[in-house]
Amino acid sequence: MKQDQKSEATRRKILQAGQSLVLAKGYSAVGLKQILDASGVPKGSFYYYFSSKEAFGCEMLEAYLHDYLSAFDKVTAQGSPARPASERMMAYFAAAIPEDLSVSMANRCLVVKLSAEISDLSEDMRAILDTGVDTLLARLKDLLNQGTADGSIKLELSPQETAPLLYGQWVGAAILAKLSRSPAPLRAVLADTRRRYMLPLTAVG
């Protein structure tokens, strides 16, 4: 493996290990030594890859958001034959609450974990997270637009107004799920999303 490839692989290992620790403990509670120990990288090597802990945090968030948006695109892809937008939207939300709560939205979402903490801690990290959420909301708005066009989604407000309200409801449910250590809030919001936004498939077309 070439040196630059090896360095990039090590950088990814540090980011992945750091993300797992931050999801478990929060950003401020995780020290550089913990990150290096978890990633198996020799002590003192951190600053070879990142200029500061904040720089690490920024790259961690960028990598997380890239992966999250890619997963959203994969889950909501139209497919062949084309699936109604309502089915694709519900597939995305259903993926937030797998049987194992430890990998649900409540415990693997950095928006849920870090929004309050980093808003007062790092302007650069806050801006990255805010931009990522805006990008997700734009994708969700497009999906709602597709649903109103194909007749599978019903809306009382415009897609642009609905997207942040819907996402905010899910983030709130994820916080409650984390607090209660129960998937019940997420399951309740999934049922509410289905009831409020989905039209019967017989009505599609």
Side-chain angles (χ1 to χ4, degrees):
M1 183 182 292
K2 295 181 180 179
Q3 184 60 39
D4 56 345
Q5 293 176 320
K6 184 177 180 180
S7 294
E8 183 57 30
T10 302
R11 178 188 294 271
R12 287 198 302 271
K13 185 185 295 185
I14 295 172
L15 288 170
Q16 290 166 359
Q19 180 179 312
S20 296
L21 287 169
V22 169
L23 280 170
K25 301 181 178 183
Y27 176 77
S28 299
V30 174
L32 301 186
K33 182 178 183 303
Q34 291 173 287
I35 296 172
L36 291 171
D37 287 347
S39 61
V41 175
K43 297 178 178 64
S45 299
F46 182 87
Y47 293 106
Y48 176 80
Y49 298 99
F50 306 98
S51 61
S52 65
K53 186 183 177 186
E54 184 179 20
F56 159 80
C58 288
E59 288 198 38
M60 176 192 67
L61 288 177
E62 288 171 346
Y64 167 79
L65 290 166
H66 176 271
D67 291 345
Y68 187 97
L69 292 168
S70 295
F72 177 93
D73 292 340
K74 183 177 180 179
V75 171
T76 62
Q78 191 166 17
S80 182
R83 291 185 297 159
S86 61
E87 285 189 1
R88 291 181 278 130
M89 183 179 79
M90 294 308 298
Y92 161 68
F93 285 123
I97 43 175
E99 289 299 318
D100 182 358
L101 187 60
S102 68
V103 293
S104 75
M105 180 183 181
N107 290 302
R108 59 182 168 86
C109 180
L110 285 178
V111 176
V112 172
K113 186 70 177 183
L114 297 183
S115 292
E117 180 183 1
I118 66 170
S119 292
D120 298 324
L121 188 65
S122 167
E123 176 58 23
D124 287 345
M125 291 175 67
R126 184 207 63 78
I128 290 169
L129 204 55
D130 187 47
T131 298
V133 169
D134 283 344
T135 303
L136 175 63
L137 292 179
R139 281 167 159 78
L140 186 55
K141 182 194 73 172
D142 288 344
L143 198 56
L144 292 169
N145 269 318
Q146 293 170 33
T148 58
D150 70 20
S152 66
I153 292 177
K154 56 182 177 180
L155 298 178
E156 294 182 359
L157 301 174
S158 69
Q160 185 169 354
E161 294 171 302
T162 301
L165 294 175
L166 179 57
Y167 181 67
Q169 185 182 17
W170 273 89
V171 170
I175 292 172
L176 292 177
K178 190 169 184 65
L179 184 65
S180 64
R181 296 183 178 176
S182 166
L186 289 168
R187 290 174 179 163
V189 78
L190 181 67
D192 184 64
T193 300
R194 182 179 290 110
R195 180 175 60 251
R196 287 201 291 152
Y197 298 108
M198 285 191 69
L199 287 167
L201 291 180
T202 54
V204 177

